[in-house]
Coordinates of all heavy atoms in Angstrom, one line a residue:
V184 N -9.8 7.5 1.2 CA -8.6 6.7 1.0 C -7.5 7.6 0.7 O -7.6 8.5 -0.2 CB -8.8 5.7 -0.2 CG1 -7.5 5.0 -0.5 CG2 -9.9 4.7 0.1
I185 N -6.4 7.5 1.4 CA -5.2 8.3 1.2 C -4.0 7.3 0.9 O -3.8 6.4 1.7 CB -4.8 9.1 2.5 CG1 -6.0 10.1 2.8 CG2 -3.6 10.0 2.2 CD1 -5.9 10.9 4.1
S186 N -3.3 7.5 -0.2 CA -2.3 6.5 -0.6 C -1.0 7.1 -0.9 O -0.9 8.3 -1.2 CB -2.9 5.7 -1.8 OG -3.0 6.5 -2.9
P187 N 0.1 6.3 -0.9 CA 1.5 6.8 -1.1 C 1.9 6.6 -2.6 O 1.2 6.1 -3.4 CB 2.3 5.9 -0.2 CG 1.6 4.5 -0.3 CD 0.1 4.8 -0.5
F188 N 3.2 7.0 -2.8 CA 3.7 7.1 -4.2 C 4.3 5.8 -4.6 O 4.6 5.6 -5.8 CB 4.8 8.2 -4.2 CG 6.1 7.8 -3.6 CD1 7.0 7.1 -4.3 CD2 6.4 8.1 -2.3 CE1 8.2 6.7 -3.7 CE2 7.5 7.7 -1.7 CZ 8.5 7.0 -2.4
N189 N 4.7 4.9 -3.7 CA 5.7 3.8 -4.1 C 5.0 2.7 -4.9 O 5.6 2.3 -5.9 CB 6.4 3.3 -2.9 CG 5.5 2.7 -1.8 OD1 4.3 3.0 -1.7 ND2 6.0 1.8 -1.1
F190 N 3.9 2.2 -4.4 CA 3.1 1.2 -5.3 C 1.7 1.9 -5.4 O 0.8 1.4 -4.8 CB 3.0 -0.2 -4.5 CG 4.0 -1.1 -5.0 CD1 5.3 -1.0 -4.5 CD2 3.7 -2.2 -5.8 CE1 6.3 -1.9 -4.9 CE2 4.7 -3.1 -6.2 CZ 6.0 -3.0 -5.8
L194 N -1.8 0.0 -4.0 CA -2.1 0.4 -2.6 C -3.3 1.3 -2.6 O -3.9 1.5 -1.5 CB -0.9 1.1 -2.0 CG 0.4 0.2 -1.8 CD1 1.6 1.0 -1.3 CD2 0.1 -1.0 -0.9
R197 N -6.3 -1.5 -3.3 CA -6.7 -2.5 -2.3 C -7.7 -1.9 -1.3 O -8.5 -2.6 -0.7 CB -5.4 -3.0 -1.6 CG -4.7 -2.1 -0.7 CD -3.5 -2.8 0.0 NE -2.9 -1.8 0.9 CZ -1.9 -2.0 1.7 NH1 -1.3 -3.2 1.7 NH2 -1.4 -1.1 2.5
K212 N -7.7 10.2 -2.4 CA -6.7 11.2 -2.6 C -5.3 10.5 -2.8 O -4.7 10.1 -1.9 CB -6.6 12.2 -1.4 CG -5.6 13.3 -1.7 CD -5.0 13.9 -0.5 CE -3.8 13.1 0.1 NZ -2.7 12.9 -0.8
P213 N -4.9 10.3 -4.1 CA -3.6 9.7 -4.3 C -2.5 10.7 -4.0 O -2.8 12.0 -3.9 CB -3.6 9.4 -5.8 CG -4.7 10.4 -6.4 CD -5.7 10.7 -5.3
D214 N -1.3 10.3 -3.8 CA -0.2 11.1 -3.6 C 0.0 12.1 -4.8 O -0.1 11.7 -5.9 CB 1.1 10.2 -3.4 CG 2.3 11.1 -3.0 OD1 2.9 11.8 -3.8 OD2 2.7 10.9 -1.8
P215 N 0.3 13.3 -4.5 CA 0.4 14.3 -5.6 C 1.6 14.0 -6.6 O 1.6 14.4 -7.7 CB 0.7 15.6 -5.0 CG 1.1 15.3 -3.6 CD 0.5 14.0 -3.2
R216 N 2.5 13.1 -6.2 CA 3.6 12.7 -7.1 C 3.2 11.6 -8.1 O 3.8 11.4 -9.1 CB 4.9 12.3 -6.3 CG 5.5 13.4 -5.6 CD 6.4 12.9 -4.5 NE 5.8 12.3 -3.4 CZ 6.4 11.9 -2.3 NH1 7.6 12.1 -2.1 NH2 5.7 11.3 -1.3
T217 N 2.1 10.9 -7.7 CA 1.7 9.7 -8.6 C 0.1 9.7 -8.8 O -0.5 8.7 -8.5 CB 2.1 8.4 -7.9 OG1 1.8 8.4 -6.5 CG2 3.6 8.2 -8.1
G244 N -4.0 15.4 -4.4 CA -3.7 16.5 -3.6 C -2.7 16.2 -2.6 O -2.2 15.0 -2.5
G245 N -2.3 17.2 -1.8 CA -1.3 17.0 -0.8 C -1.8 16.8 0.6 O -3.0 16.5 0.8
A246 N -1.0 17.2 1.6 CA -1.4 17.0 3.0 C -2.6 17.8 3.4 O -3.4 17.3 4.1 CB -0.2 17.3 3.9
D247 N -2.8 19.0 2.8 CA -3.9 19.8 3.1 C -5.2 19.1 2.7 O -6.2 19.1 3.5 CB -3.8 21.2 2.5 CG -3.7 21.1 1.0 OD1 -3.1 20.1 0.4 OD2 -4.2 22.1 0.3
A248 N -5.2 18.5 1.5 CA -6.4 17.8 1.1 C -6.6 16.5 2.0 O -7.8 16.2 2.3 CB -6.3 17.3 -0.4
G249 N -5.6 15.9 2.3 CA -5.7 14.7 3.2 C -6.3 15.1 4.6 O -7.1 14.4 5.1
E250 N -5.8 16.2 5.1 CA -6.3 16.7 6.4 C -7.8 17.1 6.3 O -8.6 16.9 7.2 CB -5.4 17.8 7.0 CG -4.1 17.2 7.4 CD -3.2 18.2 8.1 OE1 -3.7 19.3 8.5 OE2 -2.0 17.9 8.3
A251 N -8.1 17.7 5.1 CA -9.6 18.0 5.0 C -10.4 16.8 5.0 O -11.6 16.8 5.5 CB -9.7 18.8 3.6
M252 N -9.9 15.7 4.5 CA -10.7 14.4 4.5 C -10.9 14.0 6.0 O -12.0 13.4 6.3 CB -10.0 13.3 3.7 CG -10.0 13.6 2.2 SD -8.8 12.5 1.4 CE -9.6 11.0 1.4
C253 N -9.9 14.2 6.8 CA -9.9 13.7 8.2 C -10.9 14.5 9.0 O -11.3 14.1 10.1 CB -8.6 13.8 8.8 SG -7.3 12.8 8.0
I261 N -11.2 6.7 7.5 CA -10.0 7.0 6.7 C -9.2 5.7 6.6 O -8.8 5.1 7.6 CB -9.2 8.1 7.4 CG1 -10.0 9.4 7.5 CG2 -7.9 8.3 6.6 CD1 -10.2 10.2 6.2
F263 N -5.7 4.9 5.5 CA -4.5 5.6 5.2 C -3.3 4.6 5.0 O -3.1 3.7 5.8 CB -4.1 6.5 6.3 CG -2.8 7.2 6.1 CD1 -2.7 8.4 5.4 CD2 -1.6 6.7 6.6 CE1 -1.5 9.1 5.2 CE2 -0.4 7.3 6.5 CZ -0.3 8.5 5.8
T264 N -2.6 4.8 3.9 CA -1.3 4.0 3.7 C -0.2 5.0 3.5 O -0.3 5.9 2.5 CB -1.4 3.1 2.5 OG1 -2.5 2.2 2.6 CG2 -0.1 2.2 2.4
G265 N 0.8 5.0 4.3 CA 1.9 6.0 4.1 C 2.9 5.9 5.3 O 2.9 4.9 6.0
S266 N 3.5 7.0 5.6 CA 4.6 7.0 6.6 C 3.9 7.1 8.0 O 2.8 7.5 8.2 CB 5.5 8.2 6.4 OG 4.7 9.4 6.6
A267 N 4.7 6.6 9.0 CA 4.3 6.7 10.4 C 4.1 8.2 10.8 O 3.1 8.5 11.6 CB 5.3 6.1 11.3
R268 N 4.9 9.1 10.3 CA 4.8 10.5 10.6 C 3.4 11.1 10.2 O 2.7 11.6 11.0 CB 5.9 11.3 9.9 CG 6.0 12.7 10.2 CD 7.0 13.4 9.2 NE 6.8 13.0 7.8 CZ 5.8 13.4 7.0 NH1 4.9 14.3 7.5 NH2 5.7 13.0 5.8
A269 N 3.1 10.8 8.9 CA 1.8 11.4 8.4 C 0.6 10.6 9.0 O -0.4 11.2 9.3 CB 1.8 11.3 6.9
G270 N 0.9 9.3 9.2 CA -0.2 8.4 9.8 C -0.6 8.9 11.2 O -1.8 8.9 11.6
S271 N 0.4 9.3 12.0 CA 0.1 9.8 13.3 C -0.7 11.1 13.3 O -1.6 11.3 14.1 CB 1.5 10.0 14.0 OG 1.4 10.8 15.1
K272 N -0.4 11.9 12.3 CA -1.1 13.2 12.2 C -2.6 12.9 11.8 O -3.5 13.5 12.3 CB -0.4 14.0 11.1 CG -0.9 15.4 10.9 CD -0.3 16.4 11.9 CE -0.9 17.7 11.7 NZ -0.9 18.5 13.0
V273 N -2.7 11.9 10.8 CA -4.1 11.5 10.4 C -4.9 11.0 11.5 O -6.0 11.3 11.7 CB -3.9 10.5 9.2 CG1 -5.2 9.7 9.0 CG2 -3.5 11.1 7.9
I276 N -6.0 13.8 13.9 CA -7.1 14.7 13.4 C -8.4 13.9 13.2 O -9.5 14.3 13.6 CB -6.7 15.4 12.0 CG1 -5.4 16.2 12.2 CG2 -7.8 16.3 11.5 CD1 -4.9 16.7 10.9
L286 N -4.7 2.4 9.6 CA -3.3 2.9 9.3 C -2.4 1.8 8.9 O -2.2 0.8 9.6 CB -2.7 3.6 10.6 CG -3.4 4.8 11.1 CD1 -2.7 5.3 12.4 CD2 -3.6 5.9 10.1
E287 N -1.9 1.9 7.6 CA -1.0 0.9 7.1 C 0.3 1.7 6.9 O 0.4 2.5 5.9 CB -1.5 0.3 5.8 CG -2.9 -0.4 6.0 CD -2.8 -1.6 6.9 OE1 -1.7 -2.2 7.0 OE2 -3.8 -1.9 7.6
L288 N 1.3 1.5 7.8 CA 2.4 2.4 7.8 C 3.7 1.7 7.4 O 3.8 0.7 6.7 CB 2.5 3.1 9.2 CG 1.2 3.7 9.7 CD1 1.3 4.2 11.1 CD2 0.7 4.8 8.7
G289 N 4.8 2.3 7.9 CA 6.2 1.9 7.4 C 6.7 0.6 8.1 O 6.0 -0.1 8.9
G290 N 7.9 0.2 7.7 CA 8.5 -1.0 8.2 C 10.0 -0.9 8.3 O 10.6 -0.1 7.5
K291 N 10.6 -1.7 9.2 CA 12.1 -1.8 9.2 C 12.3 -3.3 9.3 O 12.4 -3.8 10.4 CB 12.7 -1.0 10.3 CG 14.2 -1.1 10.4 CD 14.8 -0.3 9.2 CE 16.3 -0.4 9.2 NZ 16.9 0.2 8.0
N292 N 12.2 -4.0 8.2 CA 11.9 -5.5 8.2 C 13.2 -6.3 8.2 O 14.1 -6.1 7.3 CB 11.1 -5.8 7.0 CG 9.9 -4.8 6.9 OD1 9.0 -4.8 7.7 ND2 10.0 -3.9 5.9
Q319 N 12.2 1.3 -2.1 CA 11.1 2.2 -1.7 C 9.8 1.4 -1.5 O 8.8 1.6 -2.2 CB 10.8 3.3 -2.7 CG 12.0 4.2 -3.0 CD 11.8 5.1 -4.2 OE1 11.8 6.3 -4.1 NE2 11.6 4.5 -5.4
I320 N 9.8 0.4 -0.6 CA 8.7 -0.5 -0.3 C 8.6 -0.6 1.2 O 9.6 -0.8 1.9 CB 8.9 -1.9 -0.9 CG1 9.2 -1.7 -2.4 CG2 7.7 -2.8 -0.7 CD1 9.4 -3.1 -3.2
C321 N 7.4 -0.6 1.7 CA 7.2 -0.7 3.2 C 7.7 -2.0 3.7 O 8.2 -2.1 4.8 CB 5.7 -0.5 3.5 SG 4.7 -1.7 2.7
M322 N 7.6 -3.0 2.9 CA 8.1 -4.4 3.3 C 9.6 -4.6 2.9 O 10.0 -5.8 3.0 CB 7.3 -5.5 2.6 CG 5.8 -5.4 2.7 SD 5.1 -6.4 1.3 CE 5.0 -5.3 0.0
A323 N 10.3 -3.6 2.4 CA 11.6 -3.8 2.0 C 12.5 -4.5 3.1 O 12.2 -4.2 4.3 CB 12.3 -2.5 1.6
I364 N 12.3 8.7 -5.9 CA 11.1 9.6 -6.2 C 11.4 11.1 -6.2 O 10.8 11.8 -7.0 CB 9.9 9.2 -5.3 CG1 8.6 9.8 -5.9 CG2 10.1 9.7 -3.9 CD1 8.1 9.2 -7.1
Q368 N 14.4 13.0 -1.1 CA 14.5 11.6 -0.6 C 15.9 11.1 -0.9 O 16.5 10.3 -0.1 CB 13.5 10.7 -1.3 CG 13.4 9.2 -0.9 CD 13.3 9.0 0.6 OE1 12.8 9.9 1.4 NE2 13.8 7.9 1.1
E415 N 13.6 3.6 8.8 CA 13.3 3.1 7.4 C 14.1 4.0 6.5 O 14.1 5.2 6.6 CB 11.8 3.4 7.2 CG 11.1 2.7 6.1 CD 9.7 3.0 6.0 OE1 9.2 4.1 6.5 OE2 8.9 2.2 5.4
F417 N 14.1 3.7 2.9 CA 13.4 4.0 1.7 C 14.3 4.3 0.5 O 14.1 5.2 -0.3 CB 12.3 5.0 1.9 CG 10.9 4.5 1.6 CD1 10.5 3.3 2.3 CD2 10.1 5.1 0.6 CE1 9.2 2.8 2.0 CE2 8.8 4.5 0.4 CZ 8.4 3.4 1.1
Y441 N 9.3 -0.6 14.5 CA 8.3 -1.0 13.5 C 8.0 -2.5 13.8 O 8.8 -3.2 14.5 CB 8.8 -0.8 12.1 CG 8.9 0.6 11.7 CD1 10.1 1.3 11.8 CD2 7.8 1.3 11.2 CE1 10.2 2.6 11.5 CE2 7.9 2.6 10.8 CZ 9.1 3.3 11.0 OH 9.2 4.6 10.6
L443 N 6.4 -4.6 10.8 CA 5.6 -5.0 9.7 C 5.9 -6.4 9.2 O 5.0 -7.3 9.3 CB 5.8 -4.0 8.5 CG 4.8 -4.0 7.4 CD1 3.4 -3.8 7.8 CD2 5.2 -3.0 6.3
M466 N 3.7 -10.0 9.8 CA 3.8 -10.9 8.7 C 5.2 -11.5 8.7 O 6.2 -10.8 8.8 CB 3.6 -10.2 7.4 CG 2.4 -9.3 7.4 SD 2.1 -8.4 5.9 CE 3.2 -7.1 5.9
F482 N -2.8 -8.0 5.8 CA -1.6 -7.3 5.7 C -1.5 -6.2 6.8 O -2.4 -5.5 7.0 CB -1.5 -6.7 4.3 CG -0.2 -6.1 3.9 CD1 0.7 -6.7 3.1 CD2 0.2 -4.8 4.4 CE1 1.9 -6.2 2.7 CE2 1.4 -4.3 4.1 CZ 2.3 -4.9 3.2
G483 N -0.3 -6.1 7.4 CA -0.2 -5.0 8.4 C 0.7 -5.5 9.6 O 1.1 -6.7 9.6
G484 N 1.0 -4.6 10.5 CA 1.8 -4.9 11.6 C 1.7 -3.9 12.7 O 1.1 -2.9 12.6
K487 N 4.9 1.2 15.1 CA 4.8 2.3 14.1 C 4.4 1.8 12.7 O 4.4 2.5 11.8 CB 6.2 3.0 14.0 CG 6.3 4.0 15.1 CD 7.7 4.6 15.3 CE 8.0 5.7 14.3 NZ 9.4 6.3 14.6
S488 N 4.1 0.5 12.6 CA 3.6 -0.1 11.3 C 2.1 0.0 11.1 O 1.6 -0.2 10.1 CB 4.1 -1.5 11.1 OG 5.5 -1.6 11.1
G489 N 1.4 0.3 12.2 CA 0.0 0.5 12.1 C -0.7 0.6 13.4 O -0.1 0.7 14.5
I494 N -5.3 -5.1 6.4 CA -5.9 -4.9 5.1 C -5.7 -6.1 4.2 O -4.6 -6.6 4.1 CB -5.5 -3.6 4.4 CG1 -6.4 -3.3 3.2 CG2 -4.0 -3.6 4.1 CD1 -6.3 -1.8 2.8
Ligands
NAD1 P1 3.7 10.0 3.2 O1 3.2 9.6 4.5 O2 4.5 11.1 3.0 O3 2.4 10.2 2.2 C1 1.4 9.2 2.1 C2 0.1 9.9 1.7 O4 -0.3 10.7 2.9 C3 0.2 10.9 0.6 O5 -1.0 10.8 -0.2 C4 0.3 12.2 1.2 O6 -0.1 13.3 0.4 C5 -0.5 12.0 2.4 N1 -0.3 12.9 3.6 C6 0.9 13.4 4.0 N2 0.8 14.2 5.1 C7 -0.5 14.1 5.4 C8 -1.3 14.7 6.4 N3 -0.8 15.5 7.4 N4 -2.7 14.4 6.4 C9 -3.2 13.6 5.5 N5 -2.5 13.1 4.5 C10 -1.2 13.3 4.4 O7 4.4 8.6 2.7 P2 5.2 8.4 1.3 O8 6.5 9.0 1.4 O9 4.3 8.7 0.1 O10 5.3 6.8 1.4 C11 6.3 6.2 2.0 C12 5.8 5.7 3.4 O11 4.6 4.9 3.2 C13 6.8 4.8 4.0 O12 6.9 5.0 5.3 C14 6.3 3.4 3.7 O13 6.8 2.4 4.5 C15 4.8 3.6 3.8 N6 4.1 2.6 3.1 C16 3.3 1.7 3.9 C17 2.7 0.6 3.2 C18 1.9 -0.4 4.0 O14 1.0 -1.0 3.4 N7 2.1 -0.5 5.3 C19 2.7 0.5 1.8 C20 3.5 1.5 1.1 C21 4.1 2.5 1.8

Side-chain angles (χ1 to χ4, degrees):
V184 174
I185 301 176
S186 64
F188 75 86
N189 61 334
F190 266 75
L194 297 175
R197 72 178 182 179
K212 187 206 79 62
D214 189 286
R216 292 164 293 188
T217 48
D247 58 329
E250 290 190 11
M252 290 165 76
C253 298
I261 298 288
F263 175 87
T264 305
S266 64
R268 182 192 46 76
S271 162
K272 187 86 185 151
V273 163
I276 303 172
L286 299 178
E287 301 297 329
L288 310 176
K291 183 68 182 173
N292 313 293
Q319 300 172 120
I320 306 181
C321 56
M322 308 160 268
I364 194 71
Q368 184 53 24
E415 195 178 27
F417 242 55
Y441 293 96
L443 194 58
M466 311 180 282
F482 189 102
K487 277 168 86 175
S488 296
I494 189 162

